[in-house]
Amino acid sequence: MGSTGRSSAAGTDGDGERRNVSDAAGIAVLGAFAVWSLVTATVHDGRPEGVLLAVLALAAGYAAGRILGVLLPVAAPCAGALAGLTLAVARPRLDPGPEIAAPLGHAGATAAVLVLSTGAACCAAWATPVPALRSALRLLAAGGTATGALLGSGTAVVACAAVLLCSLAAGRTSRRGPALIAPAMIVALVTGLVWALAAGALPGGLARPLADRLTPHRLDLWRDALDMARREAGLGVGPGRFGELSGAAPGPVPADGRPHSAPLQLAAEQGVVGVLLLAAVFCWVLFALWRAPRPTPVVLTAGAALGAVAVVAALGNALSFTTVSVGAGLLAGLSTARPLAEEPAAPGARAQYGGKLPRGGRPAR
């Protein structure tokens, strides 16, 4: 009896230490991101409000997710999924629409919201021990793909379907560490592809179909951003100044002063350090998921959804929408919280742990 109590206490202390490390890392990374935006804005008379708002939105969403995940591990992500689906359909500015009716980038924001909704519904499905409710929540998750098809967003359809399939596969995955490397590698690959397209480094046979799909105007914006990054590699041209300095910003769609690629925007406006800090934020989220006391399927589902959002942000303007930043933080917080009650184990772990995970919410790595 005493041995069991000591073991339980040791497990609780270990979970607390892991969470303290990931929380401290998050504070440091987000703080550095905000400070660097102020530094580059001061040097180049830039406007850091957009970056600061995004950092604040991400942090607020993460804090809210951590609180709601403790109290309502199933109901909170379910409500978030419903809210995201409703928002994608009802809010006009998130409607993809034809190019001449909607500014460039709103389709990406719609796709990101739908991906986050799919991920939240899948996380709720894995968190409930009720089989009927789990099936209903997976139908809700499939609603993200259906909504994307109804709105005419091919990106949303592909991304939501990928998240749903990854979530189903996560139930048979026992080691979360290697699985969480996959979204990081995919995001790095897409970012490298964007960079190569902007630099004209891809062979014509590969570059032409991609350029036709992405539109020449977007590629012109990317090239301008890369040129600025090369000229001002250290500090960038200053937050919010891309629109002033880009010759490609005026185009066939209403200009919003952004290059429509988060890595290229950070490279142009805040230099190499800005890109590294953006990568550090994403790595911190994956690290927090790896350390999280939630079941592995919940963690891997959240990682897949957040990775898909990062891919959409590398190709578009999704992170410029506060809704997306808040939603990403909320999903990350929900997936790293420690619910008050024990959670059901994944099918692969059920035999080992008798249907429930040990204290701490997940099998040992």
Side-chain angles (χ1 to χ4, degrees), residues 1-14 338 359:
M1 183 74 172
S3 175
T4 302
R6 286 193 297 271
S7 175
S8 177
T12 302
D13 292 343
R338 183 181 183 183
R359 187 171 180 81

Side-chain angles (χ1 to χ4, degrees), residues 67-97:
I67 295 170
L68 293 172
V70 169
L71 302 174
L72 303 167
V74 178
C78 179
L82 288 171
L85 290 174
T86 302
L87 182 65
V89 174
R91 188 176 179 186
R93 286 184 61 81
L94 287 178
D95 190 338

Side-chain angles (χ1 to χ4, degrees), residues 100-334:
I100 56 175
L104 183 66
H106 286 200
T110 299
V113 169
L114 290 175
V115 166
L116 292 171
S117 297
T118 300
C122 289
C123 287
W126 280 118
T128 180
V130 182
L133 181 56
R134 178 171 292 181
S135 299
L137 287 169
R138 283 179 176 154
L139 286 176
L140 176 62
T145 304
T147 303
L150 289 174
L151 293 176
S153 174
T155 301
V157 171
V158 173
C160 290
V163 170
L164 184 56
L165 291 174
C166 288
S167 178
L168 294 174
R172 299 294 176 181
T173 304
S174 58
R175 295 182 60 84
R176 64 176 63 182
L180 284 173
I181 294 175
M185 293 180 63
I186 292 171
V187 172
L189 179 62
V190 172
T191 301
L193 185 62
V194 168
W195 218 279
L197 272 171
L202 290 179
L206 181 59
R208 276 191 296 272
L210 290 174
D212 292 341
R213 178 68 179 170
L214 292 166
T215 74
H217 180 51
R218 189 185 299 265
L219 289 182
D220 288 340
L221 291 171
W222 289 359
R223 293 187 186 103
D224 271 9
L226 189 58
D227 288 341
M228 292 180 198
R230 286 168 173 166
R231 292 198 306 267
E232 298 284 350
L235 294 171
V237 299
R241 298 195 64 215
F242 174 83
E244 300 174 10
L245 304 175
S246 171
V253 293
D256 59 7
R258 299 182 180 91
H260 295 270
S261 172
L264 286 176
Q265 180 170 352
L266 267 295
E269 296 184 346
Q270 298 187 45
V272 174
V273 175
V275 178
L276 293 177
L277 286 171
L278 179 65
V281 170
F282 184 63
C283 290
W284 160 65
V285 171
L286 295 180
F287 176 72
L289 290 172
W290 178 59
R291 292 280 195 169
R294 301 299 303 276
T296 294
V298 174
V299 166
L300 297 185
T301 296
L306 294 170
V309 170
V311 168
V312 172
L315 297 169
N317 201 28
L319 293 185
S320 297
F321 292 77
T322 304
T323 305
V324 176
S325 299
V326 171
L330 185 64
L331 180 60
L334 288 168

